[in-house]
């Protein structure tokens, strides 16, 4: 059994993907090829925002967004302590200080009710993460940000295709950033990402930053970086976006509803707020004795993963500054979460098999 089946996904639209890649090989514009503009237009349309800037990775997208907002040393950026490391890395790379606000233990997203207490005169940006494919509470977050005159950067690396109150992820904040890492809901065949915004000035600036700060060739108005998506990745993404992604979002939700149907108490399916629709970047539940359970599942041919085994403030690279801090919900989640096999090509019987093995193991150990 596969945890994620990227081969099935490729087989599903092999012809379109091969044709797209072949086209790039023929015209040989491996950077800034025509597929880039086309993809950016389609992604912006999909997320319902005015501007999309494709980037070299999701981490680059976060870094470029913070650079464009002129976050620098001494500034504070509020974020969640329970995410993939890249979220906090982007903040640290600019020399700014991450300030953590604990998560809501049901959704695993930044607890907006604790947000205002963390704001200081140095706060420049709030960077919520839409963990496991479900959006944070942007109405509340944006309202607090507006009141304090600070920006919001949406880490939508796991949530592209998800909706919050009928609005697509990517377009929920000052800037939205996503990732096209192969296993993300919309993945390419290497590294890739994108920034989204309705602000034309910010869009222009981000476009310059990913091209070494150039406004035109060899005129460098800003310090930037090599932050572009390459054209072959754009061709892969275009094929998926046009021929597969919308169908896959529906299939993901179908697989999640099978899990919900087959998992029995005390196991609880993920809690999705009624105003959200998740893309289930991971299908993650909480269990007791996780490591024992993972071994037992593995013995029965069922692969699992842990997203993530350590909260960010407990990571060795950050411990020096943050070791004395405590975020009990994030720490508890890091000890208990376990992700199950999940992809849009998973059959109902397979979901039922995983659930019944898991139900039995949990019942025996109780
Ligand atoms: C994957 C991920 C990133 C980073 O994306 P890359 O494309 O791997 O650089 C950032 N934040 C979150 C929450 C992620 O899951």
């Amino acid at each position: 059994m596969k945890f994620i089946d990227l081969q099935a996904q490729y087989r599903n639209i092999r012809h379109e993907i091969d044709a797209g890649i072949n086209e790039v090989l023929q015209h040989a514009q491996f950077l800034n090829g025509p597929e880039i503009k086309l993809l950016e237009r389609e992604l912006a349309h999909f997320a319902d925002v005015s501007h999309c800037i494709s980037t070299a990775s999701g981490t680059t997208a976060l870094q470029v967004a913070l650079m464009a907002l002129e976050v620098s040393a001494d500034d504070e950026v509020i974020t969640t302590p329970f995410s993939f490391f890249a979220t906090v890395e982007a903040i640290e790379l600019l020399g700014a200080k991450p300030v953590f606000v604990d998560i809501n233990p049901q959704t695993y997203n930044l607890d907006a009710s604790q947000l205002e207490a963390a704001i200081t005169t140095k706060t420049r940006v709030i960077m919520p993460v839409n963990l496991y494919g479900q959006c944070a509470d942007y109405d509340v977050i944006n309202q607090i940000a507006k009141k304090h005159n600070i920006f919001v950067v949406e880490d939508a690396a796991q949530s592209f295709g998800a909706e919050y109150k009928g609005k697509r992820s990517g377009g929920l904040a000052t800037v939205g950033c996503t990732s096209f890492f192969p296993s993300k809901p919309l993945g390419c065949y290497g590294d890739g990402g994108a920034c989204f915004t309705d602000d034309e000035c910010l869009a222009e600036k981000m476009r310059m930053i990913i091209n070494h700060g150039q406004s035109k060739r060899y005129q460098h108005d800003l310090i930037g970086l090599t932050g572009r998506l390459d054209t072959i990745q754009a061709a892969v993404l275009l094929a998926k976006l046009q021929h597969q992604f919308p169908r896959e979002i529906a299939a993901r939700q179908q697989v999640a509803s099978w899990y919900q149907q087959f998992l029995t108490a005390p196991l609880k399916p993920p809690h999705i707020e009624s105003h959200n629709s998740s893309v289930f970047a991971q299908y993650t539940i909480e269990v007791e004795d996780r490591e024992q359970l993972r071994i037992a599942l593995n013995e029965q041919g069922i692969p699992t993963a842990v997203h993530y085994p350590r909260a960010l403030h407990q990571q060795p690279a950050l411990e020096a500054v943050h070791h004395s801090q405590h975020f009990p919900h994030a720490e508890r989640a890091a000890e208990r979460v376990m992700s199950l096999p999940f992809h849009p090509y998973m059959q109902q019987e397979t979901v039922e098999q995983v659930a019944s093995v898991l139900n039995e193991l949990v019942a025996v150990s109780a």
Side-chain angles (χ1 to χ4, degrees):
M1 189 183 304
K2 291 198 167 86
F3 186 73
I4 289 180
D5 194 347
L6 295 180
Q7 284 108 329
Q9 189 185 50
Y10 171 58
R11 281 195 302 274
N12 179 256
I13 54 161
R14 171 184 276 163
H15 176 75
E16 290 82 353
I17 286 185
D18 289 358
I21 291 175
N22 209 38
E23 188 101 354
V24 180
L25 297 178
Q26 299 303 318
H27 68 54
Q29 294 179 59
F30 297 114
L31 294 168
N32 299 321
E35 287 82 357
I36 294 285
K37 263 209 176 65
L38 206 56
L39 175 69
E40 289 178 342
R41 201 178 314 139
E42 296 213 3
L43 286 171
H45 178 74
F46 186 90
D48 198 24
V49 292
S50 330
H51 308 279
C52 168
I53 297 95
S54 57
T55 61
S57 71
T59 311
T60 307
L62 293 170
Q63 190 183 354
V64 166
L66 295 179
M67 285 169 83
L69 293 169
E70 296 177 16
V71 170
S72 59
D74 246 23
D75 289 338
E76 294 179 357
V77 177
I78 296 176
T79 192
T80 163
F82 195 53
S83 179
F84 179 59
F85 192 63
T87 306
V88 74
E89 215 169 22
I91 300 166
E92 291 279 348
L93 279 169
L94 294 181
K97 183 183 165 207
V99 172
F100 296 118
V101 168
D102 205 0
I103 55 169
N104 169 324
Q106 298 233 289
T107 62
Y108 304 103
N109 285 331
L110 189 151
D111 180 357
S113 74
Q114 296 187 43
L115 181 56
E116 203 151 15
I119 293 175
T120 73
T121 51
K122 291 181 172 179
T123 309
R124 292 266 308 164
V125 173
I126 304 165
M127 195 151 88
V129 176
N130 307 329
L131 207 69
Y132 307 145
Q134 166 168 230
C135 294
D137 198 352
Y138 286 92
D139 277 358
V140 177
I141 294 166
N142 286 333
Q143 197 185 1
I144 293 170
K146 195 170 169 194
K147 180 172 153 197
H148 294 271
N149 205 17
I150 53 189
F151 303 111
V152 180
V153 172
E154 180 193 353
D155 183 343
Q158 301 188 4
S159 61
F160 197 65
E163 289 182 4
Y164 169 82
K165 299 187 179 176
K167 282 189 70 180
R168 282 256 164 84
S169 177
L172 302 172
T174 321
V175 182
C177 300
T178 199
S179 164
F180 304 125
F181 184 85
S183 61
K184 300 284 158 112
L186 178 60
C188 60
Y189 290 170
D191 281 311
C195 297
F196 299 88
T197 187
D198 281 322
D199 183 320
E200 192 170 346
C201 288
L202 272 180
E204 205 51 45
K205 217 160 150 188
M206 292 194 287
R207 218 171 267 297
M208 282 165 62
I209 290 170
I210 63 162
N211 278 301
H212 298 285
Q214 292 175 104
S215 54
K216 56 186 183 205
R217 199 162 207 196
Y218 302 131
Q219 178 177 316
H220 303 268
D221 297 336
L222 297 169
I223 301 297
L225 36 79
T226 305
R228 296 169 299 242
L229 182 74
D230 70 72
T231 315
I232 287 182
Q233 301 307 336
V236 171
L237 289 165
L238 266 175
K240 287 193 174 187
L241 193 58
Q242 290 169 341
H243 302 287
Q244 186 176 58
F245 188 53
R247 246 191 304 128
E248 284 194 354
I249 293 173
R252 285 175 168 279
Q253 286 161 356
Q254 174 64 258
V255 173
S257 77
W258 288 329
Y259 266 125
Q260 173 158 2
Q261 181 186 335
F262 297 128
L263 288 173
T264 55
L267 293 169
K268 271 200 263 179
H271 172 80
I272 307 301
E273 300 277 11
S274 59
H275 57 251
N276 276 334
S277 72
S278 178
V279 282
F280 299 96
Q282 283 84 27
Y283 192 87
T284 306
I285 59 171
E286 283 190 36
V287 293
E288 313 277 344
D289 295 326
R290 178 178 65 199
E291 298 318 311
Q292 288 300 104
L293 203 51
R294 293 189 67 205
I295 291 167
L297 285 164
N298 193 47
E299 279 167 2
Q300 304 214 37
I302 298 172
T304 56
V306 176
H307 304 95
Y308 298 90
R310 244 187 228 238
L312 294 178
H313 63 287
Q314 300 173 314
Q315 287 293 348
L318 297 178
E319 254 181 338
V321 179
H322 296 277
H323 73 279
S324 61
Q325 296 186 302
H326 282 294
F327 302 99
H329 294 310
E331 288 163 25
R332 182 176 154 87
E335 284 170 7
R336 294 168 53 89
V337 289
M338 179 175 82
S339 304
L340 303 178
F342 189 93
H343 57 82
Y345 300 91
M346 209 167 161
Q347 302 294 310
Q348 183 171 355
E349 304 81 68
T350 317
V351 176
E352 192 167 8
Q353 181 198 342
V354 173
S356 77
V357 170
L358 189 54
N359 289 337
E360 198 160 316
L361 285 169
V362 168
V364 167
S365 74

